[in-house]
Amino acid sequence: MKVLVTDPIAEAGLDVLHEAGHDVEEAYDIDGEELLEAIADAHALIVRSGTDVSRTVLEAADELVIVGRAGIGVDNIDIPAATDEGVIVANAPEGNVRAAAEHAVAMTFAAARSIPQAHMRMKAGEWPKSDYMGKEVNGKTLGVVGFGRVGQEVAKKLDALGMDLVAFDPYISEERADRIGAELVDLETCLERADFLTMHTPLTPETEDLISDEELELFGEGYIVNCARGGVIDEDALAAKIEDGTVAGAALDVFAEEPLPEDSPLLSVDDVILTPHLGASTEAAQENVATSTAAQVVAALAEEPVANALNAPSIDETAFQRLAPYVEIAETAGKVAAQLLEGRIETVDVTYEGEIAGEDVEFVTASALKGVFEPLEWQVNAVNAPQIAEDRGVEVVESKTRQAEDFQSLISVTVSNDTDEVSVDGTLFAGDDPRIVRVDGYRVDAIPHGKMVVTRNTDEPGVIGLIGTVMGSHGVNIAGMFNARETIGGEALTVYNVDGTVPEAAREELETDERIVAVRYITLNGQ
């Protein structure tokens, strides 16, 4: 079969394709009509970031089975269009973990000892020995924000060099952190105790500008390293805090806008070290992503499971047709449960009742995990979600019973930690109408869509009116309401579908009323 490679990859990856018996066509730096012509009879396409895999390109490729991205980022690939065309999109998220971790360690030392600054002054003919007094990392505290694969690797390396470890990650278990030798703390404590802070969180709406003025004040006279994603640090605030001496310095490999604009304030601050997104730029990392991508292409062309598929189920087509509606329900229940639970998630329990308990539900469980972890990872999907759970030390429990009291089939997703748990149940009405039917035992029959608000309050006159009034005063329209209560005059739980974002001020205003127990804002469908 024909494999078209339009961006350079390591030779080892090409060797994997040749050894599998495929015809490999290398066509670098092509676009437009040339690309459309080259891909017309291709069965697989391998790219890096240089090729724009648009809907037009995908529609021109009648034989295409898979697009393999030799790296992690897939911004240049139209994944919805690929799905529409029945094309698998796969990436190589593991290949550069070690390279990214090593770069973060290198940047830590560069910041601590002012290596680039001293180098440049020596190149200019100076001998500035007395101008630089470095910091030793031994005996200092490393704060790790985001304790996934790369964060754990950095922690291991710097722990071996004598650093104490504290970590902030709401989705990692204490047991997993303990195994690495890190103390799991909240963000404020992490910032206050760290001498060096290293960022390893994806860029999501929750993490954008996670570190800004207030956080930098808490952090104080230390060094910040970011080799994860641009945008998680407020760059203007960082430059200002380093300039006025609040923060000692920073080393950054990633930026909110890349290439870094010429007017970025980071460029004018002496104690900021900058590299142009080099975290994955090692020979070993490039060989790893090339061979991993090639192996996935070989698997896809052999009609075998693709390990890092971003848009393809790992179950047979017949079973998927039956289970597809429940996949969405499981994912939604996971999203809702995760956003309702306060604190880190230590256990995810997925229970199947009724007819669905007779199916192979491995992919459905993985979809529930996808919903739970979606805010935490760059490309979480039903294929890699179980591995993410393992990496984060989250226990996953799957159980089945053919007995279902009220529904033909029911999926329950329960997330919990040592102090709290939240359970969300979902089912299908009339075969294809998804509903959230219970939240922590309250029967609600809510339509899971867009943006939702879940409130707990005392069951007494005027409370629902108060909630509607406050929402209205903040410009939030309520599209639907689903109410349940334990007993008359007891505690009630209500799910509201809303048309717009609910500002924090609205939630705070509601929670000042003693009748309101809790208010949680939930977003679904990527909104």
Side-chain angles (χ1 to χ4, degrees):
M1 292 185 177
K2 176 182 172 179
V3 180
L4 179 64
V5 183
T6 57
D7 294 314
I9 66 170
E11 195 69 30
L14 300 176
D15 291 342
V16 171
L17 298 169
H18 287 299
E19 290 169 5
H22 297 299
D23 297 325
V24 180
E25 179 181 327
E26 299 169 65
Y28 305 146
D29 300 320
I30 65 170
D31 56 18
E33 291 300 323
E34 284 186 294
L35 177 56
L36 297 180
E37 183 178 343
I39 203 172
D41 61 346
H43 299 91
L45 172 65
I46 293 180
V47 302
R48 294 181 66 189
S49 59
T51 301
D52 180 17
V53 188
S54 65
R55 182 175 292 274
T56 300
V57 171
L58 291 159
E59 289 176 347
D62 292 338
E63 304 297 325
L64 198 62
V65 175
I66 182 172
V67 176
R69 166 62 163 99
I72 187 170
V74 290
D75 293 345
N76 58 314
I77 303 172
D78 189 334
I79 295 179
T83 303
D84 290 344
E85 297 298 316
V87 176
I88 299 168
V89 178
N91 65 350
E94 303 287 347
N96 58 12
V97 168
R98 184 175 292 108
E102 289 185 359
H103 194 65
V105 172
M107 294 285 267
T108 301
F109 279 106
R113 303 305 295 269
S114 303
I115 293 171
Q117 296 94 326
H119 167 78
M120 292 304 297
R121 290 183 63 182
M122 282 198 66
K123 295 283 281 188
E126 300 181 53
W127 184 258
K129 178 177 174 64
S130 62
D131 290 348
Y132 297 105
M133 183 61 65
K135 298 284 187 181
E136 295 183 14
V137 301
N138 180 58
K140 301 298 191 299
T141 297
L142 176 70
V144 185
V145 177
F147 213 54
R149 294 183 294 268
V150 179
Q152 291 178 25
E153 189 71 17
V154 171
K156 291 174 186 176
K157 294 180 184 301
L158 290 175
D159 178 53
L161 296 174
M163 297 196 80
D164 298 323
L165 306 177
V166 293
F168 165 70
D169 190 323
Y171 288 78
I172 200 78
S173 70
E174 290 188 9
E175 180 183 0
R176 180 62 178 174
D178 287 343
R179 288 206 297 268
I180 305 296
E183 180 184 352
L184 205 58
V185 297
D186 59 32
L187 180 59
E188 181 177 335
T189 303
C190 185
L191 292 167
E192 289 176 336
R193 290 177 54 182
D195 301 297
F196 292 81
L197 190 75
T198 181
M199 306 296 297
H200 299 287
T201 179
L203 179 63
T204 69
E206 291 76 20
T207 63
E208 184 174 6
D209 288 342
L210 180 66
I211 305 299
S212 192
D213 288 278
E214 183 178 343
E215 291 76 23
L216 293 168
E217 287 285 348
L218 283 173
F219 178 58
E221 296 182 9
Y223 296 88
I224 295 179
V225 176
N226 185 15
C227 296
R229 282 292 183 270
V232 299
I233 297 175
D234 182 335
E235 294 171 1
D236 291 347
L238 177 62
K241 294 299 183 185
I242 295 175
E243 191 70 53
D244 68 17
T246 301
V247 176
L252 309 176
D253 185 50
V254 290
F255 309 94
E257 182 180 345
E258 297 182 1
L260 187 65
E262 293 181 0
D263 61 352
S264 169
L266 297 170
L267 294 168
S268 61
V269 182
D270 289 339
D271 292 318
V272 176
I273 298 167
L274 309 173
T275 55
H277 208 144
L278 300 179
S281 296
T282 69
E283 291 182 3
Q286 293 309 306
E287 182 170 310
N288 288 340
V289 298
T291 55
S292 172
T293 302
Q296 293 185 83
V297 167
V298 170
L301 296 181
E303 299 184 358
E304 297 173 356
V306 177
N308 292 308
L310 300 177
N311 65 337
S314 57
I315 56 179
D316 68 79
E317 184 177 352
T318 302
F320 185 65
Q321 290 175 352
R322 295 193 305 270
L323 292 176
Y326 292 101
V327 167
E328 181 182 352
I329 278 290
E331 182 178 330
T332 299
K335 287 180 184 178
V336 174
Q339 293 178 76
L340 287 176
L341 184 74
E342 293 190 13
R344 68 183 60 89
I345 294 172
E346 297 177 355
T347 302
V348 179
D349 191 328
V350 186
T351 301
Y352 300 90
E353 299 179 16
E355 289 185 1
I356 193 172
E359 298 279 1
D360 180 357
V361 294
E362 181 180 4
F363 184 74
V364 184
T365 297
S367 297
L369 295 177
K370 176 181 183 293
V372 170
F373 295 123
E374 196 167 64
L376 275 297
E377 295 286 335
W378 289 292
Q379 276 99 25
V380 62
N381 57 78
V383 177
N384 63 21
Q387 184 61 50
I388 290 171
E390 181 177 340
D391 291 343
R392 292 180 172 275
V394 176
E395 182 183 8
V396 179
V397 180
E398 179 184 293
S399 55
K400 296 180 178 182
T401 174
R402 296 303 294 267
Q403 303 299 317
E405 293 183 5
D406 300 319
F407 304 98
Q408 187 172 340
S409 290
L410 187 73
I411 299 173
S412 176
V413 179
T414 302
V415 295
S416 60
N417 52 40
D418 286 341
T419 59
D420 197 12
E421 75 170 33
V422 174
S423 181
V424 177
D425 299 357
T427 191
L428 296 175
F429 285 2
D432 59 359
D433 184 13
R435 296 293 179 94
I436 297 299
V437 293
R438 280 198 291 261
V439 176
D440 276 350
Y442 290 89
R443 179 66 185 267
V444 290
D445 293 345
I447 300 172
H449 177 72
K451 300 174 176 66
M452 303 163 65
V453 175
V454 179
T455 65
R456 290 177 183 266
N457 52 268
T458 57
D459 178 42
E460 57 183 282
V463 178
I464 291 176
L466 166 71
I467 294 170
T469 299
V470 171
M471 292 291 184
S473 69
H474 288 272
V476 180
N477 186 55
I478 296 175
M481 184 187 79
F482 309 90
N483 180 254
R485 61 187 181 184
E486 292 176 331
T487 58
I488 296 175
E491 184 173 299
L493 181 145
T494 308
V495 179
Y496 299 88
N497 289 113
V498 295
D499 291 333
T501 300
V502 179
E504 183 64 29
R507 287 171 263 171
E508 291 176 353
E509 182 177 345
L510 286 171
E511 289 178 341
T512 60
D513 191 292
E514 63 181 12
R515 295 169 297 176
I516 305 295
V517 178
V519 180
R520 302 292 287 181
Y521 175 52
I522 307 294
T523 60
L524 302 174
N525 305 327
Q527 299 184 39

